[in-house]
Amino acid sequence: MDQPQKEKKSFKETLNLPQTNFPIRPQSEEEDIALLALWEEEMLYQATSEKNKSFKKFILHDGPPYTNGHLHLGHAFNKILKDIILKYRRMAGFNVPFKPGFDCHGLPIELNVSKANPGISRKDLLQKCRQYAQSWIDIQINESKNLGVCADFDHPYKTMDFAYEADTVLAFGSLVEAGYIERKLKTVPWCASCETVLASAEIEYNEKRDHSMYVLFEVDAESKNKLYDTDKPIFVVIWTTTPWTLPLNQAVVAKPDAEYVLLDINGTYVIVGSSRVDALLKLKKAEKKILKSFNTTEFIQYNVHVINPVMQKVVPIILDQSVDLSGGTAFVHCAPGAGPEDYEIGIKNKLSIFSPIGEDGKFTKNSPIPELIGLSINEANGHILLLAEKNSTLFFLHSIEHSFPHCWRCRSPLIFRATKQWFCDLSHNNLKQRAIETIQKLDMIPESSRNRFLGTIEGRLEWCLSRQRTWGTPIPALICNNCDFPYTNKEFINFVADNVFFQGIEYWESVSLPDIPASSYPCKQCGSRDWRKEQDILDVWFDSGISSYAVLKKDPNLQYPADMYVEGKDQHRGWFQSSLLLSIALSKNNEACMKSILTHGFTVDEYGHKMSKSRGNVISPDEMIKRLSRDGLRLWVSSIDYADDATVSETIFTAVTEVFRKIRNTCRFLLANLYDFDLQKDRVEIKNLPLLDQFALQDLLQTYYEIIFAYEYCNFTRVFHLLADFCSNTLSSLYLDVMKDRLYVEKSDGYKRRSAQTVCYIILDTLTKAIAPIMSFTAEKIRKEYQEKNSVSIHLQDLPTLKEILFECLEKHIHITVMKFSLEHSHTVTDMISYIPDIIQMLQIQKEPLFAKQVRCEILKYIEIEREKGLIKHSLEASIGFFVKPEEMDKEGKRTWSELKSMAGSDENILLFFKEFLIVSDFYYAENMADLKPLSITGVYVLVQRAGGKKCPRCWHLSNNEHDLCERCAEILKNQ
Ligand SMILES: [Zn+2]
Ligand SMILES: [Zn+2]
Ligand SMILES: [Zn+2]
């Protein structure tokens, strides 16, 4: 019993079994950390710039993330997506500088710093905010590097850099000069006890008990009889919970194209929405007596006006879709100076934004009702109720409890009041219209994002630039204390910008008025010299929106416009929009700051829910790295169709892990069979490769060019699937499986094994480079295994054009001959990108490999049938009889068959080809048609039988050899 075992063992030693140091299981954490350190030490980013400096530039302009927290998974997704694009471009032959950006000013930082430092002075607040933002920039840079991102982290742009702040001020100056900037009233949420405007993040909604007041507005004499012929007065009924806003009323609003009715309620003629009749009758305990119905178009047609009963002022009835037919009376009393929705209606209908309310929440001297001057809104409520009661226009009164906005600091209910704000006028020079036209011309990826972006800009009413905050770029202006006139102009703004350049925004905080020359000028409006510095700061979207002006135009390494902007879909309202608007307003020739915009979705859980702390479904980039490794995370990003949201779920983790394992194992197999292969010494010329190896290369070419094309158009999901399919189906289940025999069994330095190794090397080299933009760590690890010791980082290597192989494989193809001249001058994949669709098509229609694969596929099915019967255990136990009747074939079939034979070199070789391709022990021409079965290829017949003879203990092929070893193995061993 000992003897055969010993012998078996000794034969095993004569095989060329795979050898590699590349581990079966990656030790990702240690290996990745080591690579990150190596890239840092070798200054990979600088090296890529140096290497590609003579190439055409590709500029992806980074949208600055806000610097007040760790990078979450959405950030990681965005950064990896950008890194994949950039790494591909670098390897494809572009000069790709990439300057990361950071958005530093604004409310969230100011709130955090203020909370941690109660009572802090404005000056100290600025200093602390600056430190706070910088501390998060440092953290975010490290977190980006940890994802494998390759960027100019030593020279990021920050919206709080002094130079950037000065550019922000200058950009504002250019807009002032061009006439885009105006200062006018806007209704804002206001806390009367804190005497400050509130941002939406500072508003809390609590229950509050209020009056519920129904008020009669009499239809004026002129329009009354057009509506209904009567001597009695007709009233429109409005409903409000804020009686104090009635003196601010500018119009009554009805729903367009809706039904309203005239009712007789206990002798009073009133108009309400027909949907509200029953509710109102119930309140008034009255019978239903409808006198007439109207469509609201009649209000406009008859130009109906009504009289505000507390001021005896005539106001129009206007129409707006925002009116709710299911509440109140379906008439809304509109006070644009006292509510955000009313403000919008007011802007759309050019109503006066009237607000006689002071910072303390009390009526000012501008009150249209003198008795109200100096009263708080609570006091005014009582006064107005009394007034309405007195003139019999209080139709009904009770109280309700409803959700109402409150101040997060002092918990007081808020009011809304109109304050002076700075705006960018979107109608000036047709700015909005020009932006819309520009979006039509941009390259939007995916195409569906174009309408979304258009929608956000078409729906935009205005752009308010000012914020009543401290941590931000100041609005450079002086305000007259006497008449509120704002003084600002280009020259003055340049003066401020010059100082901000050296001192930052702190200059504006600390400079005293006498040090500003303009403060000695008299006010143009009233002649006063009593000025104050404007304290408002600019909207942070203005800050980040000018980055194309402050970064792309200023940095000589970059260029304007950018080739691409890449951000999440929320940026259609945010950075994409402010960047586009500002670039058009600031450029002389209407040129947008980007040529293309790639928009991606949000990261969501498996139920499609956005990740949020309250839902408890947040997963951090670190957790993803622990689960999947860095390359797993990057591969996950590539697997996502970014037109949709990016889903995080166990199912997707499993799928990504499986593909990762497949790609890695395929590369490991290739590596393990190249341990004794020296490319220079051992490679076999392409034209001398056996047919099977040529087919393997053709399949490689086709997949590789498809991958390049998918990268070029940012279709990374397709790259992911192409890689997965190629590794599992084309390589593992086909060519590598077939080649094992040659690699393991044949003479180690013989032609047959060296040609298989040549193919393995080309596939490994191509695959490693093709995965490098996505699986940056794995590709680098593989590179160290198969390339020479002193080879440079995989990220400094070019994607191969594979031209030589292409010419060999398509040698006889007429179109490749035509293309050859152009392709010979293509040195990078970018040079040849426009030919790639044609090349892919040429490869797809190669008939010979299709013929061979079909024969293989159908014979394997017959073998499977025999295997199920128990006649054959393994394909090596099969013997295949083959019969071809060219006379039955059509012209194309004949041509393919004869070409295949000529490619194989001889009739004998074609048999050897199929023997290997099918992994069978015998493949022969059958002598007659007895028992043959037809294939679906006309004229081809086969006979599947169990092979005779015995199994060679070394290669497992069956043969009729009398000795132990088969003839082939005996021959090989004799020579070793
Ligand atoms: Zn407050
Ligand atoms: Zn003045
Ligand atoms: Zn053998």
Side-chain angles (χ1 to χ4, degrees), residues 530-686:
D530 181 14
W531 297 103
R532 66 172 191 275
K533 286 182 287 180
E534 172 60 285
Q535 296 281 290
D536 288 1
I537 59 164
L538 282 165
D539 177 17
V540 286
W541 292 119
F542 187 93
D543 275 27
S544 57
I546 64 126
S547 62
S548 64
Y549 169 88
V551 179
L552 296 182
K553 283 190 176 170
K554 299 283 163 83
D555 186 333
N557 285 324
L558 305 175
Q559 73 189 11
Y560 183 100
D563 291 284
M564 200 179 240
Y565 276 41
V566 178
E567 305 296 330
K569 59 189 177 187
D570 48 339
Q571 300 305 329
H572 287 150
R573 283 181 200 287
W575 189 61
F576 289 154
Q577 192 174 125
S578 65
S579 297
L580 180 68
L581 286 168
L582 289 171
S583 66
I584 294 175
L586 289 168
S587 83
K588 287 193 181 68
N589 49 1
N590 226 357
E591 194 178 24
C593 54
M594 73 288 271
K595 292 179 191 162
S596 68
I597 292 181
L598 186 152
T599 310
H600 59 77
F602 297 136
T603 46
V604 296
D605 68 14
E606 56 198 311
Y607 308 105
H609 294 140
K610 222 185 142 173
M611 292 192 176
S612 69
K613 275 184 194 146
S614 59
R615 217 178 231 121
N617 61 354
V618 176
I619 174 162
S620 70
D622 274 351
E623 285 169 77
M624 289 284 273
I625 288 172
K626 267 188 206 126
R627 281 293 303 271
L628 300 171
S629 83
R630 285 170 186 76
D631 268 355
L633 172 60
R634 297 176 65 96
L635 193 60
W636 168 75
V637 171
S638 77
S639 77
I640 301 292
D641 177 2
Y642 51 74
D644 295 324
D645 287 335
T647 310
V648 175
S649 70
E650 285 305 320
T651 326
I652 289 179
F653 285 168
T654 311
V656 167
T657 309
E658 181 56 28
V659 170
F660 189 177
R661 202 182 55 80
K662 196 81 232 176
I663 296 173
R664 197 176 172 283
N665 284 354
T666 305
C667 293
R668 185 171 182 277
F669 175 89
L670 294 164
L671 276 175
N673 283 290
L674 290 166
Y675 61 90
D676 61 342
F677 181 75
D678 180 332
L679 183 69
Q680 306 304 326
K681 280 208 321 260
D682 303 325
R683 76 175 280 166
V684 175
E685 289 292 311
I686 304 293

